[in-house]
Amino acid sequence: WKKLYLAHHWPVTVCKMSANDCQDPPEYWTIHGLWPDKTEECNRTWHFNVTEIKDLMSDMRHYWPDVLHSSLNRTQFWKHEWEKHGTCAATLQVLNSQRKYFGKALELYKHVDLNSCLLKAGIKPSSSYYQMTAIKEALTRFYGVMPKIQCLPPEEGEKAQTIGQIEFCFTKELQLRNCTALKGESEPVPADLKLGTEELSVCSDTLPTYYPSQVQ
């Protein structure tokens, strides 16, 4: 693999996509995962062991909660992320154990500090719409790179897309880089997030964008 995606998702949109037992989703961007591009499930014998991340527990619950299943002692989401993505990321020395993988993802999340950057740019959950180009411009201004932004397309009768996920890309040296393909690099087949029947796809620049503050 060539790059890592640090995916943040907006819990309110995640809940909107799935009629699951979402209760009071956090009103801040939380971690969806840290994903090497183009690889999945690299070592099926390397099982998730929650005791390895005991010391990260309070951060994990706060910044990387299982939005869809709100019970606190549920570790299924982390198990899935480790087995699907962590076992692949582990080819890097800085990510080669469960403790390092989850710890580093939390560190990158705090370093990116998406929540406060959006607030500083005046982009906050609201019942009025945003222009996607304005959101992209603000993020590029802050970070100097272009993240990948995914939305829930408009439902029938709606005119706006709903922002759902923002992914920052990192090199193997864990430096921020653009998410778009560099010369000579093929774009990975997008692994769209499917929850229930609806799924996220790359946001359209022309549709008004909804950044919802609570589950409708």
Side-chain angles (χ1 to χ4, degrees), residues 49-63:
N49 176 1
V50 74
T51 56
E52 290 193 29
I53 57 169
K54 296 203 285 292
D55 63 315
L56 298 174
M57 243 8 183
S58 65
D59 270 3
M60 290 292 290
R61 288 183 175 141
H62 186 74
Y63 302 117

Side-chain angles (χ1 to χ4, degrees), residues 161-176:
Q161 59 191 349
T162 305
I163 196 165
Q165 187 149 288
I166 296 180
E167 298 170 20
F168 287 88
C169 291
F170 290 86
T171 63
K172 286 188 165 183
E173 294 72 45
L174 303 185
Q175 299 298 317
L176 274 172

Side-chain angles (χ1 to χ4, degrees), residues 13-213:
T13 303
V14 175
C15 289
K16 183 180 170 179
M17 291 167 68
S18 169
N20 220 308
D21 57 343
C22 264
Q23 283 149 13
D24 304 321
E27 294 206 8
Y28 52 89
W29 289 83
T30 61
I31 301 174
H32 183 175
L34 184 64
W35 307 332
D37 64 341
K38 302 201 250 311
T39 52
E40 286 182 1
E41 289 195 33
C42 297
N43 182 349
R44 292 184 180 199
T45 60
W46 196 350
H47 298 300
F48 177 67
N49 176 1
V50 74
T51 56
E52 290 193 29
I53 57 169
K54 296 203 285 292
D55 63 315
L56 298 174
M57 243 8 183
S58 65
D59 270 3
M60 290 292 290
R61 288 183 175 141
H62 186 74
Y63 302 117
W64 199 331
D66 184 340
V67 172
L68 290 179
H69 310 93
S70 10
S71 83
L72 272 183
N73 39 10
R74 213 189 130 85
T75 58
Q76 203 54 37
F77 181 35
W78 305 330
K79 173 181 189 290
H80 166 79
E81 289 298 315
W82 167 254
E83 288 171 358
K84 186 173 176 184
H85 304 289
T87 57
C88 300
T91 53
L92 283 190
Q93 209 177 345
V94 290
L95 301 172
N96 67 4
S97 69
Q98 295 178 39
R99 173 66 182 72
K100 286 183 184 174
Y101 173 73
F102 288 104
K104 187 54 78 177
L106 287 165
E107 223 174 276
L108 292 173
Y109 169 87
K110 291 174 183 175
H111 170 69
V112 164
D113 199 6
L114 176 62
N115 290 292
S116 71
C117 283
L118 286 170
L119 280 175
K120 279 183 199 140
I123 298 167
K124 40 187 181 288
S126 150
S127 52
S128 49
Y129 299 124
Y130 288 94
Q131 292 297 329
M132 181 47 60
T133 45
I135 294 177
K136 282 184 172 172
E137 211 166 279
L139 291 171
T140 317
R141 199 169 60 239
F142 268 108
Y143 296 106
V145 294
M146 187 66 219
K148 179 178 171 189
I149 308 178
Q150 294 191 304
C151 290
L152 200 53
E155 283 169 37
E156 249 172 84
E158 285 185 351
K159 64 174 175 85
Q161 59 191 349
T162 305
I163 196 165
Q165 187 149 288
I166 296 180
E167 298 170 20
F168 287 88
C169 291
F170 290 86
T171 63
K172 286 188 165 183
E173 294 72 45
L174 303 185
Q175 299 298 317
L176 274 172
R177 54 157 284 182
N178 282 317
C179 282
T180 44
L182 298 172
K183 268 203 283 290
E185 196 178 286
S186 60
E187 258 304 86
V189 182
D192 281 322
L193 171 69
K194 285 193 181 61
L195 292 170
T197 49
E198 304 186 69
E199 56 188 88
L200 294 170
S201 51
V202 173
C203 304
S204 149
D205 279 350
T206 52
L207 287 173
T209 304
Y210 186 43
Y211 181 9
S213 59

